[in-house]
């Protein structure tokens, strides 16, 4: 299912075949939280304009609204959004721990109140699998506890152990669901999630335990990019990576900046997702091959160049910096849409260029050229 | 320049040739107030997906932000928005009278404060022409006073006389501007505006006076659709129309519902514009060939049909009622974008079907079938 095509150091060029098509890795998944990309971007834009390979949707949000029963009745997320390529759904765990109110964590799962209407909800491993089965995503994520950072060592250890027990329940439940007649996607895949906060021994021990679960089609590193320094994040990846199966994809959840992605690829990661390109875009922060641009800046008032002259996205092919700036200053939604499209195209092109570099054995060179550059603010003269 | 192709009663099928292309009439112009359609719709969408013939932009808004000097430096509105078909700009008058604060009307023009930053602005006929020349629209509108409704008879009469004097100054100024070397569009056209509130004699007298201005390429009826009953609006059109030149297009400003458009075509109108399709769309009110739909309604929760099964717009071709409803309930901007595209497509198709009916001599039949139907709420079973 996962084919490792090439390696350069720890960096991996691969492809992952699913029932909804083959994913070329490294890949950046585009986040459509509530079955829609923020900023008015549709699945047609993703497909026709933005080179998106995988759309990521949020189990918690869709369970709350419109309800996974509704999505199930509509034939699953693919039909609902009109998207025929792979979809990854998260487990709901992260949102339960970051958004929901009044939560109580028990062995059976988590009791919490909806952030929308306060309604009481229970979600455990079985419920998460059932919801994701209703959503009929290509890849489902195991239900885990994402502990706060920093967290006490002892709490983190106990939480890891519970996450392991929950993983086993997720596997059992998904096996059952995938065998049912009226399940939409009987080929739904499960990725397990490594936890352990920033404690090397917990991270490694947890990874060693969960990698034994042969049923899992991939392994994610969760609980990072939650406020810890970047160096700490890289350190954790370096600690865990040697213990991750070579023959399955690795997914670094919720990461990150273009530079983070290049650095994590260099450390052996294959899958990424992050709200950064769409969230930043909506505030006028745009990524270019020469660094970061704040497009609402006065200096772009009569700038007739595209946001990024090197970019072929729908925004850069058709509109000037001056126009995009005007849209942001006038609070026209079109500004956000163009910027979101640009940033998603940038991220999708970034991973495409990483793949090309890996194919051609020059990833180290690519990394040296771009890892720092992409994090800088666009110099005035560019 | 305007060619009358066919008539059926007062209804006219024509075409109006401009330096930016030929406009088939009757036509509905799509409103892009600040050089952008609300709801994240770009000029590319208008051109490639929505069958838009003319985009309308607002002189007042663009003067305030980004400033007409900026648009001029960027090569005019066509280049700024990346739109190569006709553009009509209003005169700024209507917004000065409806949006601006602390306005004082003098013979020379209007002193007012910007609604954005309170900055003092003066706009008279010459300033309006200069701004519109900077914007380089295809068709500029004369600077008029749009009196409130109801208005005193005597005030309305004096206002009409001033609007006539302002028209003469607009003509003189546009002639001068179109002769300048550095004017972007030296073929800019001027439409005059008929006023007179709801007083038949003032309306008719004013029309008789302004039609003598041969320089004007078209004539508009202004000051309607500002709160008066629909019957009063139709009555005013019927009074004024016999005195409008037959060989020039007639534009009913700011109108209206699909039914209003059919009825106004039946009374001899050729050009329309209205924010209704985009504004209503953003609140989930969508027009269909069977009547009006409030798409956020609970009854569409699992409705797998397109919003309008008879419609070929990007929304109806690709998404279900259930999905569009979900987007509105989740406050996803994509909902607004799809609904705006649908409604603009509906209005543009409505005028297209009116033209076809006129071409085939069956406009009376079309009017009988649709004028009332399009104003009704969509019956439950459709």
């Amino acid at each position: 299912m996962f084919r490792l095509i090439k390696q350069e150091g720890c960096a991996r060029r691969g492809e992952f075949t699913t029932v909804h098509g083959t994913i070329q890795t490294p890949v950046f998944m585009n986040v459509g939280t509530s079955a829609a990309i923020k900023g008015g971007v549709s699945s047609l834009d993703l497909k026709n304009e933005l080179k998106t390979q995988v759309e990521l949707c949020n189990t918690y949000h869709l369970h709350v609204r419109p309800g996974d029963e509704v999505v199930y009745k509509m034939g699953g997320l693919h039909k609902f959004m009109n998207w025929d390529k792979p979809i990854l759904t998260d487990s709901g765990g992260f949102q339960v721990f970051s958004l929901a109110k009044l939560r109580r964590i028990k062995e059976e799962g988590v009791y919490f109140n909806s952030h929308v209407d306060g309604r009481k909800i229970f979600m455990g491993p079985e419920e998460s699998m059932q919801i994701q089965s209703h959503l009929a995503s290509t890849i489902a994520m195991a239900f885990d506890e994402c502990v706060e950072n920093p967290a006490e060592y002892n709490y983190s250890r106990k939480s890891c152990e519970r996450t392991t027990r929950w993983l086993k329940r997720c596997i059992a439940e998904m096996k059952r669901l995938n065998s049912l007649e009226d399940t939409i996607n009987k080929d739904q895949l499960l990725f397990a999630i490594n936890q352990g906060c920033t404690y090397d021994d917990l991270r490694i021990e947890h990874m060693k335990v969960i990698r034994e679960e042969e049923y899992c089609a991939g392994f994610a590193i969760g609980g990072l990019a939650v406020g810890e320094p970047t160096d700490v994040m890289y350190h954790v990846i370096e600690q865990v990576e040697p213990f991750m199966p070579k023959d399955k994809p690795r997914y670094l959840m919720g990461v990150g900046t273009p530079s983070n992605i290049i650095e994590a690829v260099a450390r052996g990661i294959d899958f990424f997702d992050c709200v950064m390109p769409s969230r930043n875009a909506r505030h006028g922060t745009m990524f270019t091959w020469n660094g970061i641009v704040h497009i609402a800046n006065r200096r772009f008032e009569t700038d007739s160049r595209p946001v990024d002259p090197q970019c072929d996205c729908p925004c850069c092919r058709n509109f000037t910096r001056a126009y995009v700036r005007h849209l942001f200053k006038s609070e026209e939604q079109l500004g956000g849409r163009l910027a979101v499209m640009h940033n998603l195209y940038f991220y999708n092109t970034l991973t495409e260029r990483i793949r090309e570099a890996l194919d051609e054995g020059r990833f180290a060179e690519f990394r040296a050229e771009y890892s720092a550059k992409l994090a800088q603010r666009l110099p005035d003269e560019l």
Side-chain angles (χ1 to χ4, degrees), chain A:
Chain A
M1 201 178 296
F2 181 73
R3 188 167 75 88
L4 195 56
I5 298 171
K6 210 157 183 180
Q7 272 194 281
E8 187 178 331
C10 288
R12 296 145 49 97
R13 171 74 179 91
E15 61 181 32
F16 187 60
T17 303
T18 77
V19 70
H20 298 115
T22 297
I23 302 162
Q24 300 298 326
T25 67
V27 62
F28 179 78
M29 301 185 282
N30 295 185
V31 180
T33 304
S34 296
I37 306 281
K38 300 285 178 199
V41 174
S42 77
S43 51
L44 297 173
D45 297 313
L46 298 185
K47 188 168 181 175
N48 300 332
E49 299 281 1
L50 305 182
K51 306 191 285 192
T52 304
Q53 294 195 76
V54 185
E55 186 165 352
L56 185 152
C57 295
N58 289 104
T59 289
Y60 169 82
H61 286 93
L62 291 167
H63 176 59
V64 170
R65 201 166 47 192
D68 50 286
E69 286 282 356
V70 167
V71 177
Y72 177 73
K73 279 184 195 154
M74 300 309 297
L77 271 179
H78 284 90
K79 282 196 181 170
F80 192 53
M81 301 195 293
N82 191 16
W83 171 253
D84 58 6
K85 295 188 181 189
I87 296 171
L88 183 143
T89 43
D90 66 0
S91 68
F94 184 77
Q95 279 73 29
V96 167
F97 291 101
S98 61
L99 281 182
K101 301 196 166 77
L102 296 170
R103 69 174 176 273
R104 282 183 303 134
I105 307 167
K106 301 276 185 179
E107 183 60 25
E108 63 267 30
V110 188
Y111 298 85
F112 61 96
N113 292 22
S114 156
H115 76 297
V116 172
D117 57 10
R119 162 168 72 93
K120 284 182 188 171
I121 302 178
F122 171 76
M123 197 185 287
E126 290 77 12
E127 288 72 19
S128 173
M129 292 301 107
Q130 287 155 15
I131 296 168
Q132 293 183 77
S133 181
H134 272 160
L135 299 176
S137 55
T138 315
I139 302 167
M141 297 302 299
F143 189 73
D144 62 333
E145 181 184 357
C146 184
V147 299
E148 284 172 25
N149 182 24
E152 291 292 322
Y153 181 87
N154 276 336
Y155 185 86
S156 299
R157 185 177 52 78
K158 284 181 187 166
S159 170
C160 276
E161 290 165 6
R162 184 164 51 213
T163 288
T164 303
R165 292 190 297 275
W166 284 358
L167 173 61
K168 291 176 191 293
R169 286 165 55 191
C170 285
I171 292 169
E173 182 64 6
M174 179 174 279
K175 283 180 178 170
R176 187 184 74 81
L177 291 164
N178 280 356
S179 73
L180 297 180
E181 188 55 42
D182 50 1
T183 291
I184 297 173
N185 177 18
K186 297 183 186 65
D187 297 305
Q188 194 170 38
L189 303 171
L190 183 69
F191 278 21
I193 304 176
N194 170 255
Q195 291 287 355
C197 202
T198 53
Y199 302 106
D200 293 357
D201 61 333
L202 294 185
R203 282 281 178 185
I204 291 167
E205 175 58 25
H206 190 237
M207 192 65 239
K208 284 180 175 173
V209 172
I210 62 175
R211 73 177 176 189
E212 298 304 317
E213 300 296 342
E214 293 286 341
Y215 185 78
C216 297
F219 290 86
I221 301 178
L224 292 181
V226 290
E228 79 285 357
T230 305
D231 287 348
V232 172
M233 177 172 80
Y234 294 156
H235 174 81
V236 170
I237 302 169
E238 287 162 10
Q239 296 301 307
V240 174
E241 190 273 338
F243 302 96
M244 300 182 90
K246 302 284 177 226
D247 60 345
K248 290 182 177 175
R250 296 96 170 261
Y251 164 26
L252 181 60
M253 301 181 82
V255 175
T257 67
S259 177
N260 291 158
I261 288 173
I262 295 171
E263 291 305 312
V265 166
R267 288 165 174 82
I269 302 295
D270 310 302
F271 277 61
F272 299 90
D273 83 284
C274 193
V275 295
M276 183 176 282
S278 46
R279 182 173 292 166
N280 285 12
R282 297 197 321 276
H283 300 104
T285 300
M286 299 173 75
F287 296 96
T288 81
W289 289 97
N290 282 305
I292 294 161
V293 164
H294 300 290
I295 199 63
N297 196 296
R298 181 68 184 257
R299 70 187 167 119
F300 300 124
E301 191 177 39
T302 56
D303 193 330
S304 61
R305 290 168 296 179
V307 172
D308 186 349
Q310 296 181 52
C311 177
D312 294 317
C313 85
C315 176
C316 292
R317 279 202 317 272
N318 294 293
F319 303 103
T320 63
R321 292 177 184 177
Y323 184 59
V324 180
R325 173 186 190 265
H326 161 66
L327 296 174
F328 272 96
K329 298 302 284 185
S330 300
E331 296 173 29
E332 287 288 342
Q333 286 186 6
L334 180 58
R337 175 172 148 87
L338 293 177
V340 168
M341 291 208 291
H342 170 85
N343 279 358
L344 291 179
Y345 187 93
F346 181 86
Y347 268 67
N348 294 337
T349 304
L350 171 67
T351 45
E352 185 181 71
R353 290 182 68 175
I354 289 172
R355 291 194 299 272
E356 287 166 4
L358 286 166
D359 283 335
E360 296 164 13
R362 51 173 181 75
F363 174 70
E365 200 180 309
F366 181 88
R367 179 185 178 193
E369 181 174 357
Y370 287 109
S371 184
K373 191 183 197 178
L374 298 185
Q376 79 190 355
R377 194 174 155 177
L378 184 73
D380 266 16
E381 68 277 11
L382 292 172

